[in-house]
Amino acid sequence: MAATKRVFELKCAYQNYAWGKLGSKSEVAKLLKGADDNFAIQEHAPYAELWMGTHPNAPTTIPHLQGKTLEEWVKENPEALGKTVQERFNGALPFLFKVLSVNKALSIQAHPNKSHAEELHQKDPENYKDPNHKPEMAIALTDFTGLCGFRPVSEIADFVQNIPELRSVIGEKNCETMLSSVNGDVSEEEAIRSCFSALMRQDRAVVESHLRALAARVKKLANSGEDTSRFVGDVLLKLDEEFPGDVGGFAVYFLNVMRLKEGEAIYLGANLPHAYLSGAGNLLQRTSFSLLCRRKMAAHCVDLPLPFLTLQLQRYSVFKVRDQLFFRQWTVLAF
């Protein structure tokens, strides 16, 4: 085979998911325009994700090779992966690199671990199209907000005790279980599962009614200049504006709110419930279709298979990407 340049231009695909920022406000649209002067940005269209990799849903191509896909090129040049990657991942590029530009909240979701992904793929290849897990690392390009992992039970119990609308949706018995876990009378895992399950399975009309009342109360406080941090007011009102009455609004009292600054990163392992809410960031993840569960904010909802979720009852850890050693280490661990 004739010698091929080892550094060359790639043409990246993009996704117009409804949650993306619109037009030239989107970092994704700016990158597309920067790479191609002829690219016409549609100001009323969302530009959510830029993909760089071999995922068949949005394959990267190589312009100087007449649009050959990156996957085809890697198959023809497996040595470019390096011996270790080539052997471990059967000659395939193992990761997908994305740029996200988030305007509206994404759904609450989680991804399976490797063994569970293999099991799901074997049992249901139609919906789980490959046996890969899907860990990911998010790296903030701007202020970047999301939900990530379960809060410590002491925090959840405080919300349960002081927000009557939340108590009503969860039910008194489950609330008492949560409060008992603070004293060690009930396991933290049992308390989380009972309360979060009750929330996610509550009748939609009940959720809408109580969430509408809570949002109105918090909005009134915010408009009068009062501090609403005890209600996680900024996130609650954002979700209520985007998806009024959706159960995801109450999830802010169970999941950590992560607020990353430019250059900060977070690693999201298997089975960890998470949702990105706003901002721009890079995302490095395993190339996979695997999505363990999704609770869609608005639109249709799918029940969460709660037994598989990781009960990470702690603060999430934020890292600086400027630490190159850290980035190399986590890339190896993640993939």
Side-chain angles (χ1 to χ4, degrees):
M1 184 177 66
T4 304
K5 293 187 297 182
R6 284 307 195 238
V7 178
F8 46 79
E9 179 185 0
L10 298 176
K11 184 175 182 179
C12 300
Y14 63 97
Q15 303 282 14
N16 290 115
Y17 302 137
W19 50 259
K21 287 188 178 180
L22 301 180
S24 55
K25 293 181 180 179
S26 168
E27 285 73 8
V28 170
K30 293 175 186 176
L31 287 171
L32 292 168
K33 184 66 175 179
D36 181 2
D37 288 336
N38 294 320
F39 182 80
I41 298 176
Q42 305 297 316
E43 291 299 335
H44 298 291
Y47 294 87
E49 295 185 349
L50 183 78
W51 288 23
M52 184 184 299
T54 58
H55 199 294
N57 281 6
T60 296
T61 58
I62 305 170
H64 86 275
L65 295 180
Q66 291 73 51
K68 175 179 289 188
T69 67
L70 182 59
E71 181 180 24
E72 292 170 335
W73 186 89
V74 168
K75 287 180 178 178
E76 294 172 1
N77 301 270
E79 71 282 355
L81 297 173
K83 183 179 179 181
T84 301
V85 174
Q86 184 180 348
E87 292 177 352
R88 181 174 177 182
F89 299 103
N90 299 316
L93 185 66
F95 64 85
L96 175 64
F97 179 79
K98 297 180 180 180
V99 179
L100 275 62
S101 189
V102 183
N103 183 37
K104 295 182 179 180
L106 280 70
S107 55
I108 300 171
Q109 55 189 266
H111 308 292
N113 59 30
K114 179 62 173 172
S115 61
H116 192 200
E118 292 172 346
E119 178 185 344
L120 291 170
H121 175 62
Q122 185 176 17
K123 290 181 178 179
D124 187 6
E126 181 66 26
N127 289 311
Y128 300 94
K129 300 181 184 299
D130 62 70
N132 295 324
H133 58 329
K134 198 177 180 181
E136 59 191 45
M137 176 186 289
I139 307 163
L141 296 174
T142 65
D143 287 351
F144 194 73
T145 306
L147 303 176
C148 174
F150 287 104
R151 294 173 179 269
V153 290
S154 59
E155 292 186 9
I156 300 174
D158 186 61
F159 289 129
V160 166
Q161 200 162 26
N162 293 292
I163 301 177
E165 295 88 349
L166 180 60
R167 290 182 69 95
S168 296
V169 169
I170 294 172
E172 283 300 322
K173 183 178 179 180
N174 292 314
C175 290
E176 291 306 318
T177 299
M178 176 59 68
L179 296 176
S180 296
S181 71
V182 177
N183 301 321
D185 297 332
V186 177
S187 73
E188 295 179 339
E189 288 79 6
E190 181 183 346
I192 289 284
R193 289 196 193 283
S194 65
C195 290
F196 198 63
S197 296
L199 170 64
M200 289 298 169
R201 292 166 181 162
Q202 181 58 273
D203 181 79
R204 184 172 181 174
V206 173
V207 171
E208 288 181 351
S209 173
H210 288 288
L211 193 55
R212 200 161 44 238
L214 175 60
R217 186 157 66 92
V218 174
K219 187 178 295 184
K220 184 176 181 180
L221 292 173
N223 290 339
S224 66
E226 292 193 41
D227 179 18
T228 62
S229 58
R230 66 187 185 278
F231 298 101
V232 199
D234 60 332
V235 177
L236 174 70
L237 294 181
K238 170 184 168 61
L239 296 179
D240 180 68
E241 181 180 354
E242 294 170 358
F243 306 108
D246 186 86
V247 68
F250 279 123
V252 302
Y253 303 120
F254 285 89
L255 303 179
N256 293 297
V257 177
M258 64 174 186
R259 303 177 192 271
L260 304 183
K261 296 294 184 183
E262 178 183 356
E264 293 180 336
I266 185 169
Y267 172 73
L268 303 172
N271 301 329
L272 192 69
H274 62 278
Y276 301 128
L277 305 182
S278 65
N282 293 331
L283 195 67
L284 185 66
Q285 61 185 197
R286 183 74 162 89
T287 303
S288 174
F289 288 92
S290 295
L291 183 66
L292 177 62
C293 56
R294 171 170 291 174
R295 186 72 186 189
K296 190 76 172 176
M297 293 182 187
H300 80 286
C301 293
V302 178
D303 283 335
L304 294 171
L306 294 167
F308 296 109
L309 297 186
T310 296
L311 299 181
Q312 183 171 322
L313 310 177
Q314 60 188 25
R315 292 292 187 186
Y316 58 88
S317 297
V318 175
F319 303 91
K320 294 287 187 180
V321 177
R322 287 187 291 272
D323 184 344
Q324 295 299 317
L325 176 60
F326 152 77
F327 188 78
R328 288 198 299 272
Q329 288 174 337
W330 272 101
T331 301
V332 172
L333 286 173
F335 302 104

